[in-house]
Amino acid sequence: MSVSFVKVQGSGSVGIGVITSVVEAKDGAISVASAFAAHQEAVQDRDHEFLTRAVEEAYKGVECGDGGPFGAVVVRKDEVVVSCHNMVIKHTDPTAHAEVTAIREACKKLNQIELSDCEIYASCEPCPMCFGAIHLSRIKRLVYGAKAEAAIAIGFDDFIADALRGTGFYQKANLEIKRADGNGAIIAEQVFEKTKAKFTMY
């Protein structure tokens, strides 16, 4: 059977795919919708796996007393490079957010300052500082679980949700930005509700 390639073209930084060619077999056209759906499902499963790891880190950070309920995982070629959580309290460092910590540790481990062949999975939508670090490290893809509003609900700064939204920063950043699909987003949102009794705002 002879099959032509399917080209998936991203539309902007949110990474929405659009089919731009048809898959054809010798005996006729194969359903493009089915092929694309299978691809999307595989991507969603992969994202769920790594996002779950980030959520586990968020819980771990609170249990250890290291910082707030946030986790981040840097992935390279389908392998976890580092898995980190918020270390603000442990390091007495207001910049030791999960994403920044993960980027620092990944750069050290890989011995490079550019992570252009890496992705980052964050349990929550990154704050402006973390988004800046993601952009500066040239990470190619960001997947996050909970929206910033979930963190705001338990006392975190409300500027997080508004500082970047509605601006050109997301569009200018040369990376795919995606909120996790389905259950991945739900388990990430639950982190804040389940840890608020154990975590005291610093």
Side-chain angles (χ1 to χ4, degrees), residues 145-178:
K147 288 186 177 181
E149 284 79 3
I152 294 167
I154 67 166
F156 285 91
D157 292 336
D158 59 5
F159 84 98
I160 292 174
D162 299 321
L164 293 174
R165 292 176 186 169
T167 72
F169 288 110
Y170 269 17
Q171 288 71 34
K172 290 177 182 177
N174 188 28
L175 77 154
E176 177 188 345
I177 303 170
K178 174 190 175 186

Side-chain angles (χ1 to χ4, degrees), residues 119-195:
E119 302 164 87
I120 190 165
Y121 289 80
S123 63
C124 185
E125 186 176 7
C127 74
M129 177 187 71
C130 292
F131 182 78
I134 291 166
H135 173 65
L136 291 172
S137 68
R138 301 294 186 259
I139 284 175
K140 65 181 180 180
R141 184 169 184 258
L142 159 66
V143 179
Y144 67 89
K147 288 186 177 181
E149 284 79 3
I152 294 167
I154 67 166
F156 285 91
D157 292 336
D158 59 5
F159 84 98
I160 292 174
D162 299 321
L164 293 174
R165 292 176 186 169
T167 72
F169 288 110
Y170 269 17
Q171 288 71 34
K172 290 177 182 177
N174 188 28
L175 77 154
E176 177 188 345
I177 303 170
K178 174 190 175 186
R179 188 181 181 215
D181 300 313
N183 195 47
I186 295 172
I187 63 170
E189 295 279 359
Q190 291 172 343
V191 172
F192 299 100
E193 183 65 28
K194 291 181 177 180
T195 61

Side-chain angles (χ1 to χ4, degrees), residues 87-106:
M87 301 288 281
V88 168
I89 294 174
K90 183 172 182 178
H91 290 168
T92 321
D93 179 359
T95 71
H97 289 194
E99 299 93 328
V100 171
T101 300
I103 289 168
R104 288 171 176 166
E105 294 301 316

Side-chain angles (χ1 to χ4, degrees), residues 63-81:
E63 292 295 334
C64 294
D66 291 340
F70 303 91
V73 174
V74 173
V75 175
R76 183 191 193 198
K77 297 178 181 178
D78 291 332
E79 297 289 335
V80 173
V81 178

